[in-house]
Amino acid sequence: MTQLRFGIRQMFPKGESLALMQDMGKLNSSLQSAAQMNHWLQLKKATEQTWYEAWYWHKNIALIAEDRVFLVQMLDFIQSLYQVGVKDQSDLIGAQLELIRLDERQIDAKRNYEKFHYELNALANETLPAIAWEEDLPEIVNTQRFLIDKEQLLISLSTHPKVKMLDEKLNLSSVKIDLVKQDFEPAWGVEVSYGLRDGDNMDGSDRANFLSAGVSVQVPLFTQGKQNHQLQGAKQRQTAAVLERDEMLRNSYFEYQNLYQQYLNTAEQRRLYEQDILPTLSKQKASAMQSYESDEGDFRLVSELYRKEQGARIMYQRLRVNELKLVSSMIYWLAEGTTHLNGVNAE
């Protein structure tokens, strides 16, 4: 009788299933690479924009320090005149009130600066040392590259990692459809076994060992309904992937256009402050100060013009920061920025 039997059985993948599984592996790898690149671009944009905000509040603190020098000098001047009876107490109280308002601004500026400095620490995943802030913001150069016609912009956006991720998902859905179709193909297999036998036959001769081999085939005969359902589901997922990709490309196109228009408006407003508003307010304040010091003006006018100039200087810095933040967002969609502040020249 048989004492020991051993063998092997091997089933072969249906149709082109093995090659399709390899294709899926490559596509998953490409999908992961696109996701990592998109994460890097998002991190770069977040870091740049947080840096700009931290710079803005640092600049605010510096402007407050300049204002404090002016107000302290103004207070000393009024106090000296008040002591000799030239100015009344209302002017003195008004100057003291402006200093109190300045202290409030300083508290707010420090709080916001610490907030964005902490965010930079979080983005860097470490506690950053004291930052040696530059006196001025980087200069935006080559702005014409942001003016792109629709066709070229769509081509550029189609290579963005965020869109490439959806491209790879779409390719994966196509491979999955082909993989489902393989279930309609027969499955082949082979089996080989060898048996060791001991003992004797009835005539006294040794019992021979035996070898068996065979080929098996599995044919899907009654599973067409299930397979059609799986194929339909795979095709629906592919259709959804196509719609998601097209919607992403369309939304990114309109978002970029919106960013570019905002950038143009912000740049125009910044130039207005730079060329007209700030110089005019500076002259008005200087004229009001001169009139007040010669005892011909009103301190309330000086105080009003001081606050207007103060607000205008802050607004000017806000517009400059907003410009750079918009540029950073456009660079994100153009997938630029292999180095920090790519396309921005720091003097």
Side-chain angles (χ1 to χ4, degrees), residues 23 40 43 52 96 129 133 153 179 203 216 245 264 286 303 309 312:
D23 290 342
W40 184 87
L43 179 62
Y52 294 141
Q96 291 171 340
W133 293 102
L153 179 57
L179 201 57
D203 60 2
S216 63
R245 193 260 185 195
L264 292 179
S303 178
E309 186 194 35

Side-chain angles (χ1 to χ4, degrees), residues 25-200:
K26 294 177 182 178
L27 290 172
N28 278 316
S29 177
S30 298
L31 176 61
Q32 183 64 26
S33 296
Q36 290 175 348
M37 180 57 70
N38 184 59
H39 173 74
W40 184 87
L41 287 172
Q42 288 179 328
L43 179 62
K44 176 181 177 293
K45 182 180 75 170
T47 303
E48 287 175 351
Q49 299 203 0
T50 303
W51 189 92
Y52 294 141
E53 285 292 337
W55 184 93
Y56 168 76
W57 290 107
H58 170 78
K59 186 67 173 180
N60 255 9
I61 294 171
L63 290 175
I64 289 170
E66 294 176 11
D67 290 340
R68 177 171 292 281
V69 172
F70 166 77
L71 286 178
V72 168
Q73 290 175 346
M74 190 69 181
L75 180 61
D76 291 342
F77 173 73
I78 295 173
Q79 196 163 19
S80 64
L81 294 178
Y82 171 71
Q83 289 173 349
V84 296
V86 177
K87 299 295 182 181
D88 57 29
Q89 191 177 25
S90 63
D91 288 358
L92 184 62
I93 294 174
Q96 291 171 340
L97 181 59
E98 292 297 340
L99 272 172
I100 293 172
R101 288 173 176 165
L102 199 64
D103 289 338
E104 184 182 15
R105 272 189 55 212
Q106 186 177 47
I107 293 170
D108 184 61
K110 286 183 177 180
R111 180 174 62 247
N112 281 285
Y113 173 76
E114 289 170 0
K115 170 190 171 184
F116 288 105
H117 190 268
Y118 175 80
E119 288 184 14
L120 283 174
N121 289 340
L123 288 166
N125 199 26
E126 63 176 296
T127 301
L128 298 173
I131 300 174
W133 293 102
E134 300 172 3
E135 181 64 24
D136 206 357
L137 285 169
E139 178 188 355
I140 303 171
V141 297
N142 191 21
T143 57
Q144 286 300 313
R145 77 186 193 277
F146 299 124
L147 178 59
I148 310 173
D149 62 52
K150 182 176 182 179
E151 183 179 354
Q152 289 299 318
L153 179 57
L154 287 173
I155 292 174
S156 179
L157 291 172
S158 66
T159 63
H160 191 277
K162 200 168 186 177
V163 178
K164 291 295 290 182
M165 289 167 59
L166 297 179
D167 284 337
E168 300 302 349
K169 288 182 179 179
L170 182 57
N171 292 333
L172 276 170
S173 66
S174 297
V175 173
K176 288 177 180 178
I177 289 176
D178 292 336
L179 201 57
V180 170
K181 289 179 180 178
Q182 303 309 304
D183 288 339
F184 292 89
E185 301 293 330
W188 295 86
V190 295
E191 181 178 1
V192 178
S193 63
Y194 188 80
L196 299 174
R197 301 191 298 177
D198 63 356
D200 299 328

Side-chain angles (χ1 to χ4, degrees), residues 274-294:
E274 189 173 16
Q275 297 169 8
D276 297 324
I277 295 177
L278 284 172
T280 300
L281 286 172
S282 179
K283 290 177 182 177
Q284 287 180 338
K285 189 185 80 170
S287 176
M289 276 293 302
Q290 186 176 6
S291 296
Y292 182 75
E293 289 173 356
S294 60

Side-chain angles (χ1 to χ4, degrees), residues 288-335:
M289 276 293 302
Q290 186 176 6
S291 296
Y292 182 75
E293 289 173 356
S294 60
D295 203 23
E296 297 176 359
D298 185 358
F299 179 75
R300 284 177 297 181
L301 178 61
V302 174
S303 178
E304 180 183 351
L305 289 172
Y306 157 74
R307 285 196 296 270
K308 283 184 177 180
E309 186 194 35
Q310 182 187 69
R313 290 200 300 167
I314 293 171
M315 185 62 181
Y316 173 67
Q317 300 302 337
R318 167 49 65 191
L319 291 170
R320 297 180 68 210
V321 165
N322 286 352
E323 265 189 282
L324 283 166
K325 290 175 68 175
L326 289 165
V327 167
S328 176
S329 294
M330 288 189 289
I331 287 176
Y332 164 77
W333 281 114
L334 297 178

